[in-house]
Amino acid sequence: MMNTLRLSLSAALLVTLASAAHAQQPAAQPAAQPAAAAQQTLTPEQQAQVARQDAEMGAAALQVMQMIDGNRAGEVWDGASATMKSAVTRDEFVRQLNIDRNRLGAPTKRDQPVVSRSQFRAGDTVPEGIYINVASPTTFASQPQAVRELVSFRLDEDRTWRVSGYSVR
């Protein structure tokens, strides 16, 4: 089973980053963290923490992608956030991934991932919480153009990052 990820960046810093970004967004939109603006307001130590977390979350997302490559989507769901489990059943998650992956074929190349952060308030279309999204431009055997392969993580109440979504678009 996939190991869960432990928080490597203090929750206070992450909440501060997400809150600052949220203040810049319209109320109905997620609080996407603009990388350049956030980096300008952080100390060198905080920038190093963010860079470390980006690398860790990128590696965790790659692990999830490789599990899906290996037909282990059920295991991904087993270790997922309760928010994901309440949104989609295990069988539906596996079924949809099989449909998407059968259409695309095997992955042939994954480019450098891009990490972004979001915070959602109660009442948004996404369950309340702090999220990290890792998007990788991925080329598949049956799709000559790269598509966005996205793994989302949610900071759960026990301060553990867990998968909250996967998609290819």
Side-chain angles (χ1 to χ4, degrees):
M1 182 187 281
M2 180 178 67
N3 293 331
T4 56
L5 300 169
R6 293 285 166 198
L7 178 64
S8 64
L9 179 63
S10 76
L13 174 61
L14 187 55
V15 170
T16 300
L17 290 174
S19 296
H22 193 76
Q24 298 170 4
Q25 301 293 323
Q29 296 297 318
Q33 177 62 43
Q39 294 297 324
Q40 292 173 357
T41 62
L42 300 179
T43 67
E45 294 80 17
Q46 290 169 328
Q47 290 177 19
Q49 284 180 313
V50 169
R52 271 193 306 276
Q53 186 183 49
D54 285 357
E56 290 171 2
M57 298 309 280
L62 180 59
Q63 180 184 8
V64 169
M65 293 172 196
Q66 290 171 337
M67 289 176 74
I68 292 169
D69 295 345
N71 295 316
R72 297 171 54 202
E75 290 179 52
V76 171
W77 189 92
D78 292 343
S81 175
T83 59
M84 182 172 128
K85 290 179 176 181
S86 67
V88 62
T89 66
R90 186 181 201 271
D91 289 344
E92 181 61 21
F93 180 72
V94 171
R95 185 186 75 74
Q96 188 59 52
L97 282 180
N98 285 336
I99 289 169
D100 290 343
R101 284 306 196 78
N102 287 336
R103 178 178 46 85
L104 293 169
T108 57
K109 180 182 176 191
R110 285 191 174 102
D111 288 329
Q112 183 68 31
V114 175
V115 178
S116 63
R117 292 162 177 78
S118 301
Q119 180 176 12
F120 293 90
R121 297 180 190 177
D124 282 343
T125 57
V126 173
E128 180 178 18
I130 299 171
Y131 294 82
I132 290 182
N133 300 301
V134 182
S136 177
T138 304
T139 305
F140 292 91
S142 299
Q143 174 67 35
Q145 298 290 330
V147 296
R148 180 196 62 142
E149 189 172 21
L150 177 71
V151 179
S152 297
F153 297 92
R154 181 179 186 271
L155 181 61
D156 283 342
E157 289 71 17
D158 64 356
R159 301 174 62 91
T160 300
W161 290 104
R162 290 190 178 86
V163 173
S164 61
Y166 171 87
S167 66
V168 284
R169 301 281 181 256

